[in-house]
Amino acid sequence: MNPSRSALLALGSALVLTATAAAPSAQATPSPATESGAVVRDWYDITAQTVAAAGATTQVTNSRTWAISWLAAARATREAPRGHDRAAFQDAAVASAVHDALTALAPAHAPQLDAALAATLERIPDGPAEDAGVDAGTRQAALALAARRGDGLDPASVNAPFTVPPAAPGVWQPTPDGYAPAAQYGNRVARPFLLDSPAQYRLGPPPALDSRRYRADLAEVRAVGSADSAVRTPRQTETATFWYGSSLTLYTEPLRVAVTRSHGSAADRARLVALFHAALVDTQIATSDSKYTYTRWRPVTAIRTGSLGTDPAWTPLHTTPAHPDYPSGHGSYAGAAEAILGALAGPRTAPYTLTSPTAPGVRRTYTDWEQLTRENIDARVFSGIHSRSADEAGVALGKAVGGHTLRHADRLLDPRG
């Protein structure tokens, strides 16, 4: 047993009460060491709970935390030697890599993370494979953290000031309620994981203001997206509310379903998590590039001040986020998620149930990933905060970035960085 492992085991014993009270639930009742995928599942849950407890104010920053932690894990597992101890190496590598990355990115949670690592290592057979796996995880976490230093994805950089252009037809302006300054402008100059540039998959322009498509979009969102809509059904209202929250939060459980149902090794599962979140960071960067290239106004501005059936009192069902309409960030997130999950976990799976923090008590059951995308498209229209064109364009952008990630995955996962 190497010295670092001995120290962790001692610390784990000292912190056992803290770990039970504050660490992820997976560590309160550890999974059997022989259970396939147990270590990956446990550290997936630890990552989710750490990000939820210590997360940044910007979604892409939290996506970055996931991506760095699990890229380190995926790269470390690729160092596993051939032989019967390969599984022990990979389990130790995953735990060590994710632990070290999360400790660096959420240092206030180091005691809980240390206790969780000690509990994991206690369940892995002692020996050279375990020690080498821990060392590989530590090495790859340090490399991944160093590689992403200064990438422009910290909250201050993400929300860099944006000068609002003069009001004009089609041009984004701050929206009610609150008229908050533009958010996520800085994403468009952040450093992606795999894209050559944020503009690599920049979309074409949104529908012209005098086009049939624009008129149809505006008429739809005016009718079904208003706070007092007489045509939106209860099910549609539920859909809007269910998908109103953070995409990162809403997709944490679908990805967990794919990871836990995988029949692959720890390396395969870590690869799935790593590619998912790297793709989603790049997608959010690409989304902001297109948003701030076209600065298309939101439906509430178009309806209140535009020339098509102007209604100064029109109010959407949900408060409009503080950035341009085109493309939809929820749409692009869903498109990229579908691309990664469909390719690496298959397009369909046994029924799984999701809940949403913005729709307490609502449970929805799905059997594929595409339905999540379809609901995201509809939801933003039913909320009154996006045009359908913006939602569909977002999905197309996300799928393009997800496909790029899959095609270049080996470059990203190379243990040599």
Side-chain angles (χ1 to χ4, degrees), residues 141-162:
L143 289 171
L145 288 161
R148 297 304 302 181
R149 190 171 295 124
D151 60 9
L153 291 171
D154 58 284
S157 298
V158 167
N159 286 328
F162 171 71

mmCIF file of all heavy atoms in Angstrom, residues 141-162:
data_model
loop_
_atom_site.group_PDB
_atom_site.id
_atom_site.type_symbol
_atom_site.label_atom_id
_atom_site.label_comp_id
_atom_site.label_asym_id
_atom_site.label_seq_id
_atom_site.Cartn_x
_atom_site.Cartn_y
_atom_site.Cartn_z
ATOM 1 N N ALA A 141 -5.311 14.211 -13.618
ATOM 2 C CA ALA A 141 -6.059 15.356 -13.084
ATOM 3 C C ALA A 141 -5.206 16.615 -13.142
ATOM 4 O O ALA A 141 -5.687 17.690 -13.535
ATOM 5 C CB ALA A 141 -6.514 15.067 -11.657
ATOM 6 N N ALA A 142 -3.940 16.486 -12.748
ATOM 7 C CA ALA A 142 -3.047 17.654 -12.782
ATOM 8 C C ALA A 142 -2.876 18.165 -14.213
ATOM 9 O O ALA A 142 -2.891 19.384 -14.456
ATOM 10 C CB ALA A 142 -1.696 17.284 -12.177
ATOM 11 N N LEU A 143 -2.739 17.252 -15.162
ATOM 12 C CA LEU A 143 -2.566 17.651 -16.562
ATOM 13 C C LEU A 143 -3.830 18.318 -17.103
ATOM 14 O O LEU A 143 -3.763 19.336 -17.801
ATOM 15 C CB LEU A 143 -2.210 16.437 -17.410
ATOM 16 C CG LEU A 143 -0.811 15.843 -17.206
ATOM 17 C CD1 LEU A 143 -0.685 14.517 -17.952
ATOM 18 C CD2 LEU A 143 0.264 16.824 -17.676
ATOM 19 N N ALA A 144 -4.994 17.744 -16.787
ATOM 20 C CA ALA A 144 -6.246 18.302 -17.291
ATOM 21 C C ALA A 144 -6.498 19.686 -16.712
ATOM 22 O O ALA A 144 -6.941 20.603 -17.420
ATOM 23 C CB ALA A 144 -7.411 17.367 -16.956
ATOM 24 N N LEU A 145 -6.246 19.860 -15.430
ATOM 25 C CA LEU A 145 -6.431 21.160 -14.802
ATOM 26 C C LEU A 145 -5.489 22.200 -15.398
ATOM 27 O O LEU A 145 -5.896 23.338 -15.688
ATOM 28 C CB LEU A 145 -6.202 21.049 -13.295
ATOM 29 C CG LEU A 145 -7.296 20.311 -12.511
ATOM 30 C CD1 LEU A 145 -6.759 19.855 -11.153
ATOM 31 C CD2 LEU A 145 -8.513 21.214 -12.317
ATOM 32 N N ALA A 146 -4.238 21.813 -15.613
ATOM 33 C CA ALA A 146 -3.270 22.753 -16.177
ATOM 34 C C ALA A 146 -3.646 23.147 -17.600
ATOM 35 O O ALA A 146 -3.523 24.313 -17.993
ATOM 36 C CB ALA A 146 -1.870 22.135 -16.150
ATOM 37 N N ALA A 147 -4.134 22.183 -18.379
ATOM 38 C CA ALA A 147 -4.475 22.443 -19.773
ATOM 39 C C ALA A 147 -5.636 23.423 -19.912
ATOM 40 O O ALA A 147 -5.723 24.156 -20.905
ATOM 41 C CB ALA A 147 -4.802 21.139 -20.482
ATOM 42 N N ARG A 148 -6.530 23.437 -18.936
ATOM 43 C CA ARG A 148 -7.708 24.293 -19.030
ATOM 44 C C ARG A 148 -7.567 25.604 -18.250
ATOM 45 O O ARG A 148 -8.510 26.384 -18.211
ATOM 46 C CB ARG A 148 -8.944 23.539 -18.527
ATOM 47 C CG ARG A 148 -9.318 22.318 -19.333
ATOM 48 C CD ARG A 148 -9.525 22.625 -20.799
ATOM 49 N NE ARG A 148 -10.568 23.628 -21.029
ATOM 50 C CZ ARG A 148 -10.926 24.041 -22.234
ATOM 51 N NH1 ARG A 148 -10.303 23.579 -23.317
ATOM 52 N NH2 ARG A 148 -11.889 24.942 -22.369
ATOM 53 N N ARG A 149 -6.412 25.842 -17.703
ATOM 54 C CA ARG A 149 -6.221 27.075 -16.951
ATOM 55 C C ARG A 149 -6.349 28.282 -17.890
ATOM 56 O O ARG A 149 -5.799 28.309 -18.981
ATOM 57 C CB ARG A 149 -4.848 27.067 -16.281
ATOM 58 C CG ARG A 149 -4.626 28.190 -15.261
ATOM 59 C CD ARG A 149 -3.334 27.990 -14.491
ATOM 60 N NE ARG A 149 -3.396 26.788 -13.669
ATOM 61 C CZ ARG A 149 -2.524 25.785 -13.731
ATOM 62 N NH1 ARG A 149 -1.530 25.820 -14.618
ATOM 63 N NH2 ARG A 149 -2.642 24.735 -12.936
ATOM 64 N N GLY A 150 -7.117 29.268 -17.463
ATOM 65 C CA GLY A 150 -7.269 30.473 -18.265
ATOM 66 C C GLY A 150 -8.077 30.283 -19.531
ATOM 67 O O GLY A 150 -7.873 31.009 -20.519
ATOM 68 N N ASP A 151 -9.034 29.356 -19.527
ATOM 69 C CA ASP A 151 -9.803 29.071 -20.741
ATOM 70 C C ASP A 151 -10.991 29.999 -20.954
ATOM 71 O O ASP A 151 -11.737 29.855 -21.931
ATOM 72 C CB ASP A 151 -10.265 27.612 -20.766
ATOM 73 C CG ASP A 151 -11.157 27.225 -19.579
ATOM 74 O OD1 ASP A 151 -11.571 28.117 -18.823
ATOM 75 O OD2 ASP A 151 -11.425 26.010 -19.426
ATOM 76 N N GLY A 152 -11.191 30.962 -20.044
ATOM 77 C CA GLY A 152 -12.268 31.919 -20.219
ATOM 78 C C GLY A 152 -13.631 31.424 -19.811
ATOM 79 O O GLY A 152 -14.640 32.021 -20.197
ATOM 80 N N LEU A 153 -13.688 30.365 -19.017
ATOM 81 C CA LEU A 153 -14.963 29.799 -18.608
ATOM 82 C C LEU A 153 -15.281 30.040 -17.132
ATOM 83 O O LEU A 153 -16.193 29.428 -16.589
ATOM 84 C CB LEU A 153 -15.003 28.304 -18.932
ATOM 85 C CG LEU A 153 -15.046 27.987 -20.433
ATOM 86 C CD1 LEU A 153 -14.849 26.495 -20.683
ATOM 87 C CD2 LEU A 153 -16.347 28.457 -21.053
ATOM 88 N N ASP A 154 -14.552 30.906 -16.496
ATOM 89 C CA ASP A 154 -14.906 31.332 -15.147
ATOM 90 C C ASP A 154 -16.082 32.299 -15.236
ATOM 91 O O ASP A 154 -16.323 32.913 -16.289
ATOM 92 C CB ASP A 154 -13.710 32.010 -14.489
ATOM 93 C CG ASP A 154 -13.237 33.214 -15.295
ATOM 94 O OD1 ASP A 154 -12.589 33.005 -16.345
ATOM 95 O OD2 ASP A 154 -13.555 34.360 -14.916
ATOM 96 N N PRO A 155 -16.864 32.458 -14.167
ATOM 97 C CA PRO A 155 -18.077 33.285 -14.240
ATOM 98 C C PRO A 155 -17.845 34.712 -14.713
ATOM 99 O O PRO A 155 -18.644 35.252 -15.496
ATOM 100 C CB PRO A 155 -18.618 33.240 -12.814
ATOM 101 C CG PRO A 155 -18.160 31.910 -12.294
ATOM 102 C CD PRO A 155 -16.790 31.714 -12.879
ATOM 103 N N ALA A 156 -16.764 35.340 -14.256
ATOM 104 C CA ALA A 156 -16.527 36.729 -14.659
ATOM 105 C C ALA A 156 -16.278 36.828 -16.158
ATOM 106 O O ALA A 156 -16.789 37.739 -16.831
ATOM 107 C CB ALA A 156 -15.343 37.307 -13.882
ATOM 108 N N SER A 157 -15.513 35.894 -16.700
ATOM 109 C CA SER A 157 -15.232 35.913 -18.137
ATOM 110 C C SER A 157 -16.473 35.560 -18.954
ATOM 111 O O SER A 157 -16.734 36.153 -20.003
ATOM 112 C CB SER A 157 -14.094 34.934 -18.475
ATOM 113 O OG SER A 157 -12.899 35.306 -17.822
ATOM 114 N N VAL A 158 -17.242 34.579 -18.480
ATOM 115 C CA VAL A 158 -18.454 34.168 -19.189
ATOM 116 C C VAL A 158 -19.428 35.339 -19.319
ATOM 117 O O VAL A 158 -20.034 35.548 -20.378
ATOM 118 C CB VAL A 158 -19.129 32.985 -18.455
ATOM 119 C CG1 VAL A 158 -20.532 32.742 -18.984
ATOM 120 C CG2 VAL A 158 -18.278 31.729 -18.600
ATOM 121 N N ASN A 159 -19.559 36.108 -18.251
ATOM 122 C CA ASN A 159 -20.503 37.223 -18.259
ATOM 123 C C ASN A 159 -19.794 38.555 -18.502
ATOM 124 O O ASN A 159 -20.112 39.581 -17.885
ATOM 125 C CB ASN A 159 -21.294 37.258 -16.961
ATOM 126 C CG ASN A 159 -22.345 36.164 -16.909
ATOM 127 O OD1 ASN A 159 -22.903 35.777 -17.927
ATOM 128 N ND2 ASN A 159 -22.611 35.663 -15.710
ATOM 129 N N ALA A 160 -18.858 38.549 -19.435
ATOM 130 C CA ALA A 160 -18.182 39.789 -19.824
ATOM 131 C C ALA A 160 -19.207 40.815 -20.297
ATOM 132 O O ALA A 160 -20.238 40.454 -20.882
ATOM 133 C CB ALA A 160 -17.181 39.499 -20.938
ATOM 134 N N PRO A 161 -18.965 42.093 -20.042
ATOM 135 C CA PRO A 161 -19.942 43.126 -20.416
ATOM 136 C C PRO A 161 -20.227 43.131 -21.921
ATOM 137 O O PRO A 161 -19.340 42.932 -22.739
ATOM 138 C CB PRO A 161 -19.262 44.421 -19.981
ATOM 139 C CG PRO A 161 -18.276 44.017 -18.935
ATOM 140 C CD PRO A 161 -17.795 42.653 -19.339
ATOM 141 N N PHE A 162 -21.476 43.364 -22.231
ATOM 142 C CA PHE A 162 -21.929 43.456 -23.620
ATOM 143 C C PHE A 162 -22.604 44.807 -23.818
ATOM 144 O O PHE A 162 -23.474 45.199 -23.038
ATOM 145 C CB PHE A 162 -22.918 42.332 -23.931
ATOM 146 C CG PHE A 162 -23.602 42.459 -25.254
ATOM 147 C CD1 PHE A 162 -22.907 42.262 -26.443
ATOM 148 C CD2 PHE A 162 -24.959 42.775 -25.324
ATOM 149 C CE1 PHE A 162 -23.541 42.387 -27.675
ATOM 150 C CE2 PHE A 162 -25.605 42.891 -26.546
ATOM 151 C CZ PHE A 162 -24.889 42.690 -27.726
#
